[in-house]
Amino acid sequence: MVEVQRAVETELDRIAPVIDDLGRRFNEAGHELALVGGPVRDAMLGRPYHDLDFATSALPEETERILKPWGDALWDMGRDFGTIGCRKGDWVVEVTTYRSEVYDTSSRKPEVAYGDSLDGDLVRRDFTVNAMAVRVPGRGLEDPYGGVVDLAHRVLRTPGRPEDSFSDDPLRMMRAARFAAQLGFTVDPAVVAAMTAMAERIEIISAERVRDELVKLICAPYPRLGLTLLVETGLAQRVLPELPALALERDEHHRHKDVYEHTLTVLEQAIDLEERLGGEPDLVSRFAALMHDVGKPRTRRFVEDGTVTFHHHDVVGAKLTRKRMKALKFSNEQIDDVSKLVELHLRFHGYGDGEWTDSAVRRYVRDAGDQLERLHVLTRADCTTRNQRKADRLRRTYDALEERIARLREQEELDSIRPDLDGNQIMELLGIGPGRDVGAAYQHLLELRMDHGPMTDDEARAALLAWWADRT
């Protein structure tokens, strides 16, 4: 506890030019100001942060009057919720009036009521570790609900009854899973019980807010913890039903992997390979790993010899992925990228034990397009076999494929494969105008390019004329 106190004091000294100055300005205007929530928690954990959140007794218009001459830039998009924001140097500062948020039983939006005390504000916050505050400029710590102790024990509890907290804002149930994934904390049994009992209440929350929490969870250091909590409490059934559906029933007569556990392992292995993508959490890669097998429940078939097949689960899975991501309001670009990876994740295994022709390599690169590096990651992560010899063989085979791609790249423009004649040249040579025949000719030349590699101008013209002669 002493070490935590020292860490906080050191951190407060570091940000003193901002918090002490701002605290004095509010104090001189007759208002309270306190650093609250995430910055206090992260200071105790030694985690980096860039935003400073404050709570105040001042109403929004008074806050704006104080911040306007102090900040470098000001914004008030959160005014309806009592929040005024500004930028001060490298810091983003948000100051919110003491408040109480309560959801109507059928409303998606909170009803905002201003409070009159810091303690009253803190009890409305999601978890005790986020319900701590440091008054400024005096720097007195306020921890009425035991956040420091819970931080030390690495547990998530609510300041009051979890049922009351989740009734006020059902999104907090998602936040519990997200914080478990971000911090590696366990969740208090009473909180888990309330999440389970109230899971259906998440349905009043907008898809955009649910999506944002899910993205933060998936991009966190320990996503398995958060996803497991969502599945066990029934929340996943309402926000990402494809995930719990992967827990297929098994019996002693039919052999197949536990698809749900396999999926979580693939996600973790994809995370381990993110250095190939720049080292930062990559949402597209992670979400593709999470969704890559969602087509299996709909395509499962039992074979007489005791095996189980999942034919075309890649195509079915891509459609399910696209549908779910649309429902969660992801961007079209993200939907396209993730769906493409899900659809292509088996392509590597369709070429046997590495006997790839140049034509097959070209098609693999063309179909992956700008998602090729992510496809490398997903394909490698999708190997979860415990048979070390098989795992080593698959790794060596994929190493060989990447080497083939690299060699062909040196010889050809693999990343922008196109026919050896363009549309204008095709029309000129065949003496035709724009239309379907031009498209068919273009596609024929593209297939020749895939099969045989680059041709000379004379070879391409001869091939096109021979194809045209056969058609006419």
Side-chain angles (χ1 to χ4, degrees), residues 87 100 103 111 171 186 208 219 234 236 244 272 278 293 304 311 315-316 346 349 352-353 376 394 404 413 425 437:
R87 179 174 54 81
S100 166
Y103 272 78
E111 300 172 359
L171 191 66
T186 58
E208 291 87 349
C219 290
D272 290 339
D293 272 349
E304 291 183 0
H311 294 313
V315 177
V316 173
L346 288 182
H349 300 284
D353 294 327
H376 291 335
L394 286 171
R404 289 281 301 283
E413 296 181 6
Q425 291 172 308
D437 286 340

Side-chain angles (χ1 to χ4, degrees), residues 275-401:
E275 284 297 326
R276 297 178 60 126
L277 305 176
E280 295 297 320
D282 186 81
L283 173 64
V284 169
S285 176
R286 293 188 184 199
F287 207 78
L290 189 62
M291 302 295 284
H292 79 284
D293 272 349
V294 296
K296 281 191 171 181
R298 293 197 182 184
T299 58
R300 181 170 65 161
R301 300 290 183 272
F302 298 114
V303 184
E304 291 183 0
D305 64 1
T307 59
V308 181
T309 65
F310 302 96
H311 294 313
H312 307 300
H313 79 266
D314 46 349
V315 177
V316 173
K319 292 179 180 178
L320 291 174
T321 297
R322 183 173 293 275
K323 182 178 179 180
R324 178 56 48 198
M325 293 184 75
K326 283 185 177 179
L328 288 169
K329 310 294 186 183
F330 279 91
S331 71
N332 290 335
E333 182 181 3
Q334 290 171 324
I335 293 171
D336 290 343
D337 291 347
V338 174
S339 300
K340 176 187 282 190
L341 290 168
V342 172
E343 186 169 359
L344 294 177
H345 83 273
L346 288 182
R347 185 68 60 88
F348 163 72
H349 300 284
Y351 291 97
D353 294 327
E355 299 174 1
W356 288 58
T357 63
D358 285 351
S359 173
V361 174
R362 293 187 192 101
R363 283 180 166 80
Y364 192 78
V365 173
R366 178 197 63 180
D367 292 347
D370 60 0
Q371 298 305 305
L372 181 61
E373 197 60 44
R374 285 181 173 132
L375 183 58
H376 291 335
V377 167
L378 178 58
T379 304
R380 289 179 180 276
D382 195 22
C383 176
T384 61
T385 179
R386 296 180 181 178
N387 183 324
Q388 193 58 49
R389 291 181 63 185
K390 182 179 180 181
D392 289 343
R393 177 174 57 79
L394 286 171
R395 188 188 66 253
R396 289 194 301 269
T397 302
Y398 206 85
D399 286 344
L401 171 59

